[in-house]
Amino acid sequence: MIKAIAWDVDGTLIDSEPVHHKALMAVSERHGVNIAADDTRFIGVAMSDVWTVLAPLYPPGLRPETWNSEIVEAYIERTAELQPMAGAPETVLVLAAAGLVQCAVSNSSRRIVEANLKAMGLDRAMAFAIGREDVMHGKPDPEPYRLACERLGLDASHVLAVEDSVVGAASAQAAGMPVLRYGADFTDFSAILNLVEERRLRA
């Protein structure tokens, strides 16, 4: 029986990649590095790995903590440009109205996760949100999803993870959770509603 849903955010509930890239472009330009609008090298790449690639191009005195903070601020300044995945916010709100507990589990910083949820009007629909700084190891390590199940007080087998990436799916599966991948297992969010209803009827 599905008793709760743990949602990935970036790429699952919201199309955040264009805004992430604009933030990277803006901050890099500020420090003398040009990142092209059509540069696809950093799509879906962890910010620590982006820093590793770009750090040699930045001024020697720029610290990764400062750079990352500037990226977060540049992203938040552009949240009005964010576009939710079609049907995603409505699905979350329907499930919330039905009393299903939901949370967000992301590899992004907490401030970005909270900004994304607020931009979609979903901040109050989530019991809590887990960001990268809440764990020692991010996805694909199972720690983020294990922490979510602990906070929910539920066995992992009763918490459905909804992801879009192989990395995120691997994290949830390693935590012992059932997983659905947006773009691979479903493209219409009504599939989530149908699955939850089916599992409740079986229980």
Side-chain angles (χ1 to χ4, degrees), residues 8 10-11 17 32 41 63 72 84 90 97 100 107 109 115 134 137 141 144 159 167 175 180 183 186-187 189 192:
D8 173 56
D10 295 278
E17 194 58 50
R41 289 178 295 165
R63 296 175 58 83
V72 170
E90 295 83 355
L100 190 73
N107 256 0
S109 74
D134 293 316
H137 307 287
D141 191 275
V159 183
V167 167
L180 281 181
F186 74 98
T187 54
F189 277 85
I192 303 292

Side-chain angles (χ1 to χ4, degrees), residues 33 49-60 62:
V33 177
D49 293 330
V50 175
W51 168 260
T52 298
V53 172
L54 296 178
L57 305 177
Y58 292 134
L62 181 62

Side-chain angles (χ1 to χ4, degrees), residues 84-162:
M85 298 301 189
E90 295 83 355
T91 298
V92 171
L93 294 174
V94 167
L95 292 170
L100 190 73
V101 179
Q102 300 171 87
C103 65
V105 181
S106 176
N107 256 0
S108 292
S109 74
R110 170 173 290 282
R111 290 189 65 204
I112 285 180
V113 176
E114 292 174 347
N116 285 339
L117 294 175
K118 186 174 182 180
M120 292 184 287
L122 300 180
D123 45 327
R124 295 184 180 181
M126 300 292 174
F128 56 84
I130 291 175
R132 180 62 183 84
E133 57 266 62
D134 293 316
V135 294
M136 288 292 294
H137 307 287
K139 305 172 189 178
D141 191 275
E143 185 182 357
Y145 279 111
R146 283 179 178 163
L147 177 60
C149 293
E150 288 175 8
R151 289 189 182 180
L152 291 167
L154 294 172
D155 186 273
S157 63
H158 295 306
V159 183
L160 174 66
V162 185

